[in-house]
Amino acid sequence: MKKRWWLIAALVLGAALIISSYWLLNRYQESRINPQELLTESLEKTATAKSFRYTLESTLEVEGRKEVISKVQGEKSPEGNIHIKGEMVKTPVDIYHFDQAIYNWDSFSKRWLVIKDNQTNSTKVLISELDPLSNFNFKSISEVKKTGWETIDGNRCLVVNCKPSVENELLEILWQGFDYNIAIDVKERVVRKATLQATSKNNSATHLKLKVEFRDFNDKIAVVKPVMK
């Protein structure tokens, strides 16, 4: 009986040593991650994703007063079709983007309004909501540094801070001093979550804040064009 207990104890100790060695090896490898290289690789891989789901919230802070600009859930199909639903400027929205046109549900007339991209600037106005990856088009990236770790949907993520020069017409015209915190899945090398803060070029007391989270990369996501009535 005593011999059996010694055997069990030895097996438990051996398993503990294997687990701890694996944990230490992972942490050692993580400590050697170059945040600049990881960020560049993850941005490139995220940008090439054919489909994904996301949540996006953008807010405006004016002299300490917070106003929600948009709060939406979105999905993009492998064919490039997009659907978002939520709220923008305190108004419910249900919008599809198919074949260079926006299908917007009008709650007053109870019908879908179709707006071609070349007929209006609606697509440009909605660029963050319809194309959240547009917020990560950078001309250059400086001051990249690790700020910590975060687990998102079971995925271990390294959070890096950076201050890039952005390549986004709407952001460039109105804002400056871009500051990003980006949570990168170190295994899959994709962006899982990011926050952005910028300051108005016209009023230093006005700030833009944006948070976006991604999931279900390259899944078979079906976005079906709404039935017109």
Side-chain angles (χ1 to χ4, degrees):
M1 191 69 170
K2 187 175 181 180
K3 185 178 180 181
R4 183 182 176 187
W5 278 110
W6 273 108
L7 179 60
I8 294 174
L11 290 173
V12 171
L13 179 60
L17 287 172
I18 292 172
I19 293 171
S20 61
S21 297
Y22 178 75
W23 185 88
L24 288 171
L25 177 61
N26 280 342
R27 296 302 171 268
Y28 172 72
Q29 291 174 337
E30 289 175 352
S31 70
R32 295 175 60 83
I33 292 175
N34 182 310
Q36 178 86 49
E37 292 177 0
L38 177 66
L39 177 61
T40 300
E41 181 183 352
S42 67
L43 289 174
E44 290 176 353
K45 188 173 181 181
T46 303
T48 60
K50 298 297 183 182
S51 62
F52 51 82
R53 292 185 174 91
Y54 60 95
T55 59
L56 182 145
E57 179 177 352
S58 59
T59 59
L60 202 61
E61 289 191 0
V62 183
E63 298 179 350
R65 189 180 74 256
K66 179 179 176 180
E67 295 287 343
V68 177
I69 302 172
S70 63
K71 189 173 184 179
V72 301
Q73 294 186 3
E75 54 187 354
K76 178 183 178 181
S77 73
E79 297 77 22
N81 303 320
I82 300 167
H83 176 221
I84 64 171
K85 193 170 185 177
E87 183 179 289
M88 295 186 66
V89 198
K90 299 180 180 180
T91 303
V93 293
D94 190 357
I95 296 173
Y96 289 81
H97 190 252
F98 272 85
D99 305 325
Q100 304 300 311
I102 285 177
Y103 296 75
N104 180 33
W105 176 252
D106 183 9
S107 57
F108 294 101
S109 63
K110 304 297 182 183
R111 64 188 182 93
W112 292 98
L113 303 179
V114 183
I115 307 169
K116 296 290 185 180
D117 289 353
N118 58 9
Q119 294 176 338
T120 179
N121 287 324
S122 296
T123 306
K124 289 184 178 181
V125 172
L126 293 167
I127 189 169
S128 283
E129 287 75 20
L130 290 175
D131 182 14
L133 295 181
S134 66
N135 298 294
F136 304 98
N137 292 334
F138 300 152
K139 297 177 183 176
S140 61
I141 308 173
S142 61
E143 301 180 46
V144 180
K145 59 184 179 181
K146 304 176 184 177
T147 63
W149 293 88
E150 185 174 349
T151 299
I152 302 173
D153 295 332
N155 303 293
R156 186 166 170 79
C157 300
L158 176 65
V159 182
V160 300
N161 176 266
C162 64
K163 296 173 174 57
S165 171
V166 302
E167 191 168 4
N168 179 308
E169 185 177 346
L170 285 179
L171 289 178
E172 285 184 281
I173 291 174
L174 300 173
W175 307 96
Q176 62 186 353
F178 298 97
D179 191 305
Y180 283 75
N181 283 301
I182 303 176
I184 301 169
D185 186 327
V186 293
K187 181 180 179 181
E188 299 296 331
R189 294 300 203 260
V190 292
V191 175
R192 292 289 177 186
K193 183 172 76 172
T195 59
L196 153 67
Q197 179 169 315
T199 303
S200 170
K201 288 184 175 181
N202 298 318
N203 183 353
S204 61
T206 300
H207 303 281
L208 170 69
K209 291 188 176 182
L210 184 145
K211 180 174 74 172
V212 59
E213 297 185 35
F214 297 97
R215 66 185 189 281
D216 302 334
F217 284 105
N218 296 312
D219 280 6
K220 292 181 180 179
I221 299 172
V223 178
V224 181
K225 186 183 295 186
V227 178
M228 308 301 292
K229 296 181 180 180

